[in-house]
Amino acid sequence: MMSRQTASSLILPELVEVIRSALHGVVLTGAGISAESGIPTFRDAQTGLWAKYSPEELASPQAFRRNPKLVWEWYAWRRELVAQAKPNPGHLALAELERRMPRFTLITQNVDGLHQRAGSYNVVELHGNLNRVKCFEEGDIVTSWPPGPEVPPRCPRCGGHLRPDVVWFGETLPPQALRAAFEAAQRCDLFFAIGTSGLVQPAASLPYEALRRGMPVVEINPDETPLTQSATYALAGPAGQILPELLNRLNYKNYKE
Ligand code: BV8
């Protein structure tokens, strides 16, 4: 557990001023923002039943075609994990930041919906959301299907397999979300990269859209990433402690976790 002092010592007065004067803040989050809610990140070794698989082996259309039951059950397990989880102080601090900044866009690679549960409104879900289900054949969202023993369940319209409404490796991102994300990164005057290893494209290119326009990029991550050397500010610690401390330093009067 990082001490408050340590979190605070990471935050330079100059950075507080940069954030306070920003007109359009953009945040890109990855699995790390949900780590303190107990949701394993992609870099964490998979646990238990899933220990023998890597996410890349399960999160693809090929994997689903090969073994739809296995992939469906992996997502059912993650959906249960997410349902039990709560937004952590990092999610809550970002929801407060959205209320405080003149303009604010939250772009997430996560599919757990925890930002929305924390109160964030303007959320761009680059990789979909595992709480939504769609037909593998038609691509349309399915909100209900007749109960039955078959796993995965079948589309009530066409009988195809149902799948989670997430973007798998090798699949293109939702065009509207992708466009919104790049437009925000190209218009912002402050960019945060929080809890992402910066390995997955095209999300990993977003911070560089701000950097190449000379805009400040703030990375919050306990570990080094390919972005760390280029970031304007690199705060090496957990988001669930650094973000609330950042909000306190901005002394938005009535901010409470
Ligand atoms: C695409 C949804 C066009 C599913 C995800 C070669 C062949 C084929 C494709 C490619 C290729 N080369 C590149 C590609 C493109 C590929 C890609 O990038 N591959 C990588 C692996 C090289 N991308 C795609 O396929 C994308 N589509 O490009 O379409 C195309 C099509 C075909 C061919 C070429 C191009 C689609 C990518 C989306 C995949 N879906 N998720 C699901 O969740 O099940 S990606 C998934 O992994 C996550 O969504 C996330 O984006 C990614 C993991 O990244 P992170 O979020 O960063 O998580 P990670 O665990 O890695 O890191 C966590 C970080 O948090 C760490 O740094 C850690 O230190 C930090 N941390 C830990 N605790 C904390 C913390 N930080 C702060 N606080 C803490 N407490």
Side-chain angles (χ1 to χ4, degrees), residues 27 29 33 90-98 104 115 120 194 243:
V27 173
T29 60
I33 189 78
H91 293 110
L92 296 169
L94 290 176
E96 177 66 13
L97 203 54
E98 177 177 25
F104 187 87
H115 284 301
S120 291
I194 303 174
L243 284 167

Side-chain angles (χ1 to χ4, degrees), residues 194-213:
I194 303 174
T196 180
S197 58
L199 299 173
V200 173
Q201 293 297 350
S205 302
L206 287 165
Y208 299 91
E209 292 297 322
L211 275 176
R212 68 183 174 75
R213 293 185 301 114

Side-chain angles (χ1 to χ4, degrees), residues 124-146:
V124 178
E125 291 183 321
L126 277 185
H127 296 158
N129 187 313
L130 57 62
N131 293 307
R132 287 193 303 267
V133 166
K134 68 182 182 183
C135 172
F136 185 76
E137 302 305 331
E138 301 166 327
D140 302 331
I141 295 294
V142 174
T143 50
S144 68
W145 53 89

Side-chain angles (χ1 to χ4, degrees), residues 29-33 35-36 41-44 56 59 74-75 78 109-111 127 166-173 194-202 220-225 237-240:
T29 60
I33 189 78
E36 290 158 275
T41 70
F42 276 71
R43 300 306 129 199
D44 292 338
E56 283 80 1
W74 180 50
Y75 281 92
R78 289 172 64 190
Q109 301 172 87
N110 300 340
V111 294
H127 296 158
V166 298
V167 180
W168 280 330
F169 287 101
E171 292 186 321
T172 49
L173 278 62
I194 303 174
T196 180
S197 58
L199 299 173
V200 173
Q201 293 297 350
I220 300 177
N221 192 324
D223 295 350
E224 288 232 344
T225 74

Side-chain angles (χ1 to χ4, degrees), residues 30-134:
I33 189 78
S34 296
E36 290 158 275
S37 295
I39 308 287
T41 70
F42 276 71
R43 300 306 129 199
D44 292 338
Q46 294 255 70
T47 52
L49 175 63
W50 307 106
K52 55 181 180 289
Y53 302 99
S54 83
E56 283 80 1
E57 281 174 273
L58 294 170
S60 78
Q62 295 77 4
F64 187 76
R65 284 198 190 88
R66 207 173 31 247
N67 193 335
K69 184 172 183 297
L70 177 75
V71 174
W72 176 270
E73 287 178 338
W74 180 50
Y75 281 92
W77 172 71
R78 289 172 64 190
R79 204 171 294 126
E80 195 41 45
L81 217 54
V82 166
Q84 308 291 331
K86 289 202 311 296
N88 65 61
H91 293 110
L92 296 169
L94 290 176
E96 177 66 13
L97 203 54
E98 177 177 25
R99 291 188 282 270
R100 298 287 179 172
M101 291 189 103
R103 280 199 67 190
F104 187 87
T105 309
L106 175 57
I107 305 162
T108 189
Q109 301 172 87
N110 300 340
V111 294
D112 56 32
L114 285 175
H115 284 301
Q116 292 92 325
R117 285 172 52 192
S120 291
Y121 284 101
N122 186 8
V123 180
V124 178
E125 291 183 321
L126 277 185
H127 296 158
N129 187 313
L130 57 62
N131 293 307
R132 287 193 303 267
V133 166
K134 68 182 182 183

